[in-house]
Amino acid sequence: MDPSPETLLDLHRRMVRIRHFEEAAGRLAEQNRLPGFLHLYVGEEAVAAGVCANLDDDDQISSTHRGHGHLVAKGGDYGGMMAELMGKATGYCGGKGGSMHICDLDLGMLGANGIVGGGVPIAVGAGFANKYRGSDRVSVVFFGDGASNIGAFHEAANMAAALSLPVLFVCENNEYGEFTPRDRTMAITDVVDRAAGYGMPGAIVDGMDVVAVWEAASEAVSRARRGEGPSFIEAKTYRFYNHHGVQTLGMKYRSDDELEQWKQRDPIELFEDRLASAGVLDADGAQAVHDAAEADIEAAIAFAEESPLPDPDSLLVDVYTQAEYSGATA
Amino acid sequence: MTPPTDTEERRIAYGAAFTEGLAQMMDADPNVFVAGEDVGRAGGVFGSFRGLNERFGDMRVVDTPISEQAIVGLGTGAAVSGLRPVVDVMFMDFMLVAMDQIVNQAAKLKYMFGGKATLPMTITTSAGAGLSAAAQHSQSLEAMLCHIPGLKVVMPSNPYDAKGLLISCIRDDNPTVFVKHKRLLGLKGEVPEDLYEIPLGAASTVRSGDDVTVVTYGRMVHEATSAANALASAGIECDVIDLRTLQPLDMDTVVQSAQRTSRVAVVHEAVRFGGLGGEIASQIAEEAFDYLDAPIERIGAPFSPVPFSPVLEKEWVPNAEMIGERIRALAAA
Ligand SMILES: Cc1ncc(C[n+]2csc(CCOP(=O)(O)OP(=O)(O)O)c2C)c(N)n1
Ligand SMILES: [Mg+2]
C-alpha cells in the first residue's frame, strides 16, 4: 500500500521532531547543562518514525538506552522530556529516571531502558496482555544489533513466536554496540537471520528510507493485529553522533569516511528531496515544519529550565505503590 | 598497612593502577586473559583496558558480544579448563544478567564437585553512584555477592590497593569479584611499579583514634576519613578501618578496634537495609558486646533505587557531613 500524502507529511513531521529534540539535547549536553548519559538517535529517525506512524496511543512500544526518538515518534511531549533530561520535577519521571528511563505510559511507551535487551521481554509481556484481552493492540520492541546478542532477546523472541503473540521486533542495526563493530561480536551480517530460528517472518529494510520502514512495519503490524503472530524487521541504519554524547571520545572506532557516507544518506534530507519531487512538500513547506519544531523545542527548554528541581523529600516516594486492591479493572 | 614509601614516589590514577596490575599479571602468566564488552579495541569504556589489546592481541584481550551471562560462563569454563580468566562486566548492575553463572555455577562448582574443580577466575566490574547514571547504572550490590559461599569480593578505595588487590584476585584460585568505584577511577595515589600483592581478607587502618571505630570500604573511605578529620578538631578521634576485602571479612581488626573504642559506626554507599553493615554490626555484637557503650551505628543509602536528578542523588549518597553528624551523636551517646 502506498502511503497517502497525509501519511507522508506525518512521517516527515515525526522525523523532524526527533531530529530537533536530539540536536537540542546534544547542544545542551555539550554546554554541560544535562546531567548523566545521553545516547542520541540522530541518523536513525526513519526507524522510529516509520514504525510508530503505524501505531495508536494504546499500542505499546518498549525502547532502549537510545530512547528519545521512540518517545517523540510515539507523540511524546517535548517539555516533559526536556525537563526529565534536566532532572526537573516536571519531567516525565519527576526527575528520577533521566534520559535512560524516559517513558509515557499513557502513550504506550513502556520506557527507555538502561539494560541492553531489558525491554525485549517487556514488550512481549505487553503483547501477551493484548492477546489475553482479545484486543487487536500490538506491541513493538526496538532494540539494537548489539542487543540481539543477549539472552533476554533470544528467550523473548522464542516465547513471542511460541505463544504467537502480536509483537513486532524492530532491530536498529547501526553496525556498532558502543565502540565495537558488529563483525567483532557476531558471525552473521544480517541480524534478521535470527528470526528464522524462532519461526518468525523477517525482513530487511533500508533504515534511512522512512517509507520503506513504514511499509514493512505496516505489513507486520497488520499481521499482528490479525492474530498471526510476531514478525521481525531489521532496519539498516547508522548513528551520526557518538555512542553517548556528541563528540567522538578519544578512541577512534569508525572512520570519518564511513560516517560521511552514511551522512550522505541522511534520512530527513533523502525524504525531503522525495517529497519535493513528488510535489507533496516543497522546501518552504519543509522549512516550516523545522521552524515549528524548533519553536517547540525552544519553548520546551524554557519550560524545563524554569521548572523546579525535585523536592528532596520525594526521594522515598514511589518505591512502592500505596494503592489498595480495587477489584478487577477494565 | 600503609603503602611502602618509595624513594621516588610515583603517583598514578586508580584506573591506571588497575591496568598496570592486569598487564603485569598478563606478562607474568600466559594463562591470564581478559574478556568483556569493549575491552579490546576500545580499551574499555572507562579506559581500564587501554593498550592491552594492542599489546597482547585478540586472543588474550577479547572483545565479547553484549552477553554478560556468556561472558561469565566463558570465564568459568576457561578457568575449570586451566586458564586464569579476568572477565569484565562493565557495570555492576549488569552482573544481575549473569547471576546464574556467578551464583549457581562459578561460586559452587568446586564444592558441588567434591573439591575437584578449581576456578581461578576474576570478575571485574564498576559500581557506585554520583554520576547521574540513574537506577540501573549506579548500584552497589556487593552484599548480594558476599552472601554467596564460594565467592571472594574486594572493593579497593585507592590506587595502591587497586593494583595489589587485583593481583591477589587474579592469583587466587577461587572466583573473585573485583569492584571498582566509578568515581575513584581518576583518584591519584602512590603506586609502586613492581608486582605486589595485598592479601585478600586484610583490612587496613587508614586513620587511628580511640573514641569511635568507623568501619568502611570503597569510596566511603574518603567520605568517612574527611568526616573523621573534621571531628578531630572537635576532639573526637576516630579509628577509620578500610575493609578492602568484603568476603572474607577481616573481623579481627574490626573487633580489636571496637574493643578499644567501645563505639562503632559502619559506613557504606549501598542501601542500608540488608547491606553489609548489618552483618558487620552483628559480628561486632557477638564478639564485643560487653565492650560497647552505644548501639552500633549503620550508615548507608536510603531505601530507594538510585535517583537520576543530581539533587536527589546527592541526597541519596552518604556524604562526609552526614557521616560526621552521626558519628558526633554516636560519640556523645
Ligand atoms: C546488560 C547490559 N550490558 C551492557 C550495557 C552497556 N551498553 C549500553 S549501550 C551498549 C551498546 C548497545 O548496542 P546496540 O544494542 O547495538 O544499541 P546502539 O547503542 O547501537 O543503539 C552497551 C554495551 C548495558 N547497558 N546493559
Ligand atoms: Mg548498535
Side-chain angles (χ1 to χ4, degrees), chain B residues 62 129 150 175 208 229-230 277 321:
Chain B
V62 186
S208 300
N229 290 341
E321 195 187 336

Side-chain angles (χ1 to χ4, degrees), chain B residues 34-329:
Chain B
V34 189
E37 293 159 23
D38 292 294
V39 302
R41 295 272 167 84
V45 293
F46 302 112
S48 301
F49 302 90
R50 202 166 284 158
L52 299 182
N53 181 266
E54 289 88 327
R55 207 166 133 201
F56 297 103
D58 279 351
M59 210 55 209
R60 291 189 72 194
V61 185
V62 186
D63 273 325
T64 66
I66 308 172
S67 310
E68 283 77 10
Q69 188 167 195
I71 292 168
V72 176
L74 177 92
T76 304
V80 170
S81 309
L83 299 183
R84 198 167 282 278
V86 175
V87 294
D88 186 62
V89 176
M90 193 185 293
F91 283 67
M92 190 172 211
D93 316 67
F94 312 159
M95 284 179 103
L96 298 171
V97 174
M99 227 45 178
D100 172 65
Q101 284 295 324
I102 298 170
V103 176
N104 284 325
Q105 313 300 337
K108 298 178 177 36
L109 285 193
K110 182 176 192 65
Y111 187 81
M112 295 188 300
F113 293 175
K116 292 198 183 84
T118 303
L119 260 125
M121 166 171 69
T122 303
I123 304 174
T124 59
T125 193
S126 300
L131 300 174
S132 288
Q136 296 172 338
H137 283 72
S138 304
Q139 297 171 89
S140 292
L141 298 168
E142 63 276 9
M144 286 176 64
L145 299 169
C146 294
H147 184 63
I148 307 302
L151 298 179
K152 294 186 181 179
V153 182
V154 306
M155 257 176 119
S157 69
N158 62 67
Y160 175 78
D161 288 355
K163 180 173 170 183
L165 285 171
L166 179 67
I167 290 166
S168 297
C169 283
I170 297 174
R171 287 179 168 175
D172 198 283
D173 277 351
N174 296 284
T176 57
V177 185
F178 181 99
V179 188
K180 293 172 272 181
H181 194 294
K182 297 191 276 288
R183 283 178 73 190
L184 292 178
L185 294 171
L187 177 79
K188 288 202 166 164
E190 196 181 322
V191 178
E193 283 179 51
D194 51 324
L195 192 68
Y196 62 93
E197 286 189 33
I198 291 179
L200 301 185
S204 79
T205 300
V206 294
R207 190 187 185 289
S208 300
D210 289 333
D211 299 323
V212 177
T213 298
V214 183
V215 184
T216 184
Y217 58 89
R219 200 184 77 81
M220 283 299 127
V221 169
H222 304 281
E223 297 289 338
T225 304
S226 70
N229 290 341
L231 288 168
S233 55
I236 300 167
E237 293 292 346
C238 299
D239 238 17
V240 178
I241 298 173
D242 178 354
L243 290 169
R244 306 199 288 194
T245 304
L246 308 182
Q247 181 61 271
L249 277 172
D250 179 1
M251 285 308 294
D252 287 349
T253 300
V254 172
V255 168
Q256 276 165 25
S257 171
Q259 288 174 342
R260 187 160 43 77
T261 64
S262 305
R263 291 168 206 271
V264 184
V266 190
V267 185
H268 52 60
E269 180 180 314
V271 169
R272 181 173 180 269
F273 188 104
L276 213 57
E279 176 65 32
I280 294 164
S282 321
Q283 291 202 32
I284 294 168
E286 285 160 4
E287 303 293 325
F289 185 77
D290 293 337
Y291 294 83
L292 295 180
D293 287 343
I296 298 162
E297 180 72 32
R298 285 186 297 135
I299 300 171
F303 199 59
S304 81
V306 185
F308 163 73
S309 188
V311 276
L312 295 178
E313 192 182 32
K314 192 161 163 282
E315 195 70 14
W316 190 90
V317 182
N319 58 49
E321 195 187 336
M322 70 86 102
I323 294 167
E325 278 166 27
R326 303 274 287 274
I327 296 175
R328 187 191 294 273

Side-chain angles (χ1 to χ4, degrees), chain A residues 46-48 50-52 54-55 139-145 148 153 167-173 190-196 200-207 209-223 230-237:
Chain A
V47 187
V51 171
C52 291
N54 287 286
L55 305 178
S139 61
V140 176
V141 48
F142 293 97
F143 61 99
D145 48 304
S148 79
F153 159 75
V167 181
L168 172 56
F169 290 78
V170 179
C171 179
E172 302 174 320
N173 183 354
D190 301 321
V191 179
V192 76
D193 291 354
R194 297 186 163 165
M200 55 170 121
I204 295 178
V205 298
D206 175 358
D209 178 347
V210 70
V211 174
V213 175
W214 180 85
E215 278 169 349
S218 156
E219 201 179 308
V221 166
S222 310
R223 187 171 175 275
S231 343
F232 191 115
I233 293 172
E234 173 180 1
K236 304 280 194 189
T237 183

Side-chain angles (χ1 to χ4, degrees), chain A residues 44 144-146 172-178 239:
Chain A
E44 306 190 12
D145 48 304
E172 302 174 320
N173 183 354
N174 59 15
E175 295 291 317
Y176 292 85
E178 291 195 338
R239 60 172 153 74

